[in-house]
Amino acid sequence: MKRIINRIPELFFIGLAAYWILDNYLGSETINYFAIAVIIVLLFQLIYQKYIVGLTTGIVLGLFSGYMIMAVLSDFIKYETVTAKSLQFLAYGGGIFGVSVLMATAMVYKFALKHNKPSQNDFAPML
Protein backbone atom coordinates (compact mmCIF):
# COMPACT_ATOMS: atom_id res chain seq x y z
CA MET A 1 0.00 0.00 0.00
CA LYS A 2 2.81 2.40 0.87
CA ARG A 3 4.40 1.68 -2.52
CA ILE A 4 1.23 2.85 -4.30
CA ILE A 5 0.92 5.96 -2.12
CA ASN A 6 4.52 6.92 -2.92
CA ARG A 7 3.73 6.79 -6.64
CA ILE A 8 0.60 8.96 -6.55
CA PRO A 9 2.36 12.14 -7.81
CA GLU A 10 3.70 10.40 -10.91
CA LEU A 11 0.32 8.75 -11.57
CA PHE A 12 -1.43 12.11 -11.16
CA PHE A 13 0.81 13.78 -13.75
CA ILE A 14 0.47 10.81 -16.13
CA GLY A 15 -3.31 11.16 -15.87
CA LEU A 16 -3.11 14.91 -16.42
CA ALA A 17 -0.91 14.44 -19.50
CA ALA A 18 -3.27 11.75 -20.83
CA TYR A 19 -6.19 14.17 -20.42
CA TRP A 20 -4.14 16.81 -22.26
CA ILE A 21 -3.53 14.40 -25.16
CA LEU A 22 -7.20 13.43 -25.39
CA ASP A 23 -8.36 17.04 -25.15
CA ASN A 24 -6.09 18.10 -28.01
CA TYR A 25 -6.96 15.13 -30.18
CA LEU A 26 -10.71 15.26 -29.67
CA GLY A 27 -10.85 19.06 -29.90
CA SER A 28 -8.69 19.72 -32.94
CA GLU A 29 -7.50 16.27 -34.07
CA THR A 30 -3.87 17.16 -33.42
CA ILE A 31 -1.40 14.92 -31.66
CA ASN A 32 0.33 16.52 -28.69
CA TYR A 33 3.86 15.13 -28.86
CA PHE A 34 5.00 17.16 -25.87
CA ALA A 35 2.40 15.48 -23.64
CA ILE A 36 3.43 12.09 -25.02
CA ALA A 37 7.06 12.88 -24.08
CA VAL A 38 5.91 13.88 -20.57
CA ILE A 39 4.14 10.53 -20.19
CA ILE A 40 7.23 8.64 -21.38
CA VAL A 41 9.48 10.46 -18.90
CA LEU A 42 7.02 9.90 -16.05
CA LEU A 43 6.62 6.20 -16.91
CA PHE A 44 10.42 5.88 -16.91
CA GLN A 45 10.48 7.58 -13.52
CA LEU A 46 7.64 5.42 -12.21
CA ILE A 47 9.50 2.22 -13.15
CA TYR A 48 13.11 3.09 -12.33
CA GLN A 49 12.77 5.73 -9.56
CA LYS A 50 15.99 7.60 -10.42
CA TYR A 51 17.11 10.30 -7.97
CA ILE A 52 18.19 13.00 -10.44
CA VAL A 53 15.29 12.42 -12.84
CA GLY A 54 12.81 12.53 -9.96
CA LEU A 55 14.14 15.78 -8.55
CA THR A 56 14.38 17.43 -11.96
CA THR A 57 10.91 16.30 -13.03
CA GLY A 58 9.37 17.44 -9.74
CA ILE A 59 11.01 20.86 -9.93
CA VAL A 60 10.07 21.40 -13.59
CA LEU A 61 6.47 20.29 -13.05
CA GLY A 62 6.23 22.46 -9.93
CA LEU A 63 7.50 25.54 -11.77
CA PHE A 64 5.13 24.90 -14.68
CA SER A 65 2.19 24.43 -12.29
CA GLY A 66 3.04 27.65 -10.46
CA TYR A 67 3.23 29.45 -13.79
CA MET A 68 -0.19 28.09 -14.74
CA ILE A 69 -1.69 29.28 -11.43
CA MET A 70 -0.40 32.77 -12.25
CA ALA A 71 -1.90 32.47 -15.74
CA VAL A 72 -5.29 31.48 -14.29
CA LEU A 73 -5.19 34.41 -11.87
CA SER A 74 -4.14 36.78 -14.67
CA ASP A 75 -7.05 35.67 -16.84
CA PHE A 76 -9.45 35.92 -13.90
CA ILE A 77 -8.42 39.54 -13.28
CA LYS A 78 -9.24 40.39 -16.91
CA TYR A 79 -12.95 39.65 -16.33
CA GLU A 80 -14.83 42.93 -15.96
CA THR A 81 -17.39 41.47 -13.58
CA VAL A 82 -17.29 38.46 -11.35
CA THR A 83 -19.80 35.95 -12.68
CA ALA A 84 -20.54 32.33 -11.94
CA LYS A 85 -18.59 31.35 -15.06
CA SER A 86 -15.51 33.34 -13.99
CA LEU A 87 -15.63 31.80 -10.51
CA GLN A 88 -15.97 28.36 -12.07
CA PHE A 89 -12.90 29.09 -14.21
CA LEU A 90 -10.96 30.18 -11.12
CA ALA A 91 -12.07 27.16 -9.09
CA TYR A 92 -11.25 24.56 -11.76
CA GLY A 93 -8.02 26.15 -12.95
CA GLY A 94 -6.80 26.96 -9.46
CA GLY A 95 -7.86 23.55 -8.20
CA ILE A 96 -6.13 21.53 -10.90
CA PHE A 97 -2.90 23.50 -10.81
CA GLY A 98 -2.98 23.88 -7.02
CA VAL A 99 -3.10 20.09 -6.69
CA SER A 100 -0.34 19.92 -9.33
CA VAL A 101 1.90 22.14 -7.20
CA LEU A 102 1.23 19.90 -4.18
CA MET A 103 2.02 16.76 -6.20
CA ALA A 104 5.22 18.27 -7.59
CA THR A 105 6.24 19.30 -4.07
CA ALA A 106 5.59 15.72 -2.92
CA MET A 107 7.82 14.43 -5.75
CA VAL A 108 10.65 16.78 -4.82
CA TYR A 109 10.26 15.94 -1.13
CA LYS A 110 10.25 12.20 -1.84
CA PHE A 111 13.42 12.29 -3.92
CA ALA A 112 15.21 14.86 -1.75
CA LEU A 113 14.87 12.54 1.24
CA LYS A 114 15.67 9.39 -0.71
CA HIS A 115 18.36 7.37 1.05
CA ASN A 116 20.25 6.57 -2.15
CA LYS A 117 22.12 9.82 -2.53
CA PRO A 118 23.78 10.23 -5.91
CA SER A 119 27.36 9.15 -6.22
CA GLN A 120 29.93 11.14 -8.10
CA ASN A 121 29.41 8.86 -11.10
CA ASP A 122 25.77 9.96 -11.40
CA PHE A 123 26.95 13.39 -12.54
CA ALA A 124 29.62 12.14 -14.93
CA PRO A 125 28.77 12.42 -18.63
CA MET A 126 28.00 9.19 -20.41
CA LEU A 127 30.57 8.43 -23.11
Side-chain angles (χ1 to χ4, degrees):
M1 185 70 174
K2 185 177 179 179
R3 191 172 175 192
I4 294 173
I5 291 173
N6 282 337
R7 295 175 183 221
I8 287 176
E10 289 92 347
L11 294 172
F12 172 79
F13 284 115
I14 288 171
L16 198 59
Y19 172 76
W20 191 15
I21 291 170
L22 285 174
D23 184 50
N24 281 334
Y25 186 72
L26 296 176
S28 61
E29 295 186 4
T30 58
I31 298 173
N32 190 339
Y33 294 108
F34 183 74
I36 292 171
V38 168
I39 287 178
I40 290 170
V41 168
L42 287 170
L43 284 174
F44 171 81
Q45 181 57 27
L46 194 63
I47 294 168
Y48 295 108
Q49 297 286 310
K50 295 292 183 182
Y51 175 79
I52 297 297
V53 176
L55 275 178
T56 305
T57 305
I59 290 169
V60 168
L61 289 172
L63 290 174
F64 177 74
S65 299
Y67 171 79
M68 290 305 295
I69 287 175
M70 294 300 166
V72 167
L73 291 174
S74 173
D75 284 348
F76 179 74
I77 290 172
K78 290 180 185 176
Y79 284 107
E80 294 177 8
T81 59
V82 177
T83 62
K85 191 164 183 103
S86 66
L87 288 175
Q88 182 182 15
F89 170 75
L90 182 65
Y92 286 140
I96 288 172
F97 295 115
V99 171
S100 295
V101 166
L102 292 175
M103 292 294 174
T105 304
M107 278 181 70
V108 170
Y109 183 75
K110 175 174 68 172
F111 288 104
L113 294 181
K114 195 170 183 179
H115 295 292
N116 299 334
K117 298 294 181 192
S119 66
Q120 191 167 359
N121 292 337
D122 288 343
F123 296 104
M126 295 179 65
L127 300 175

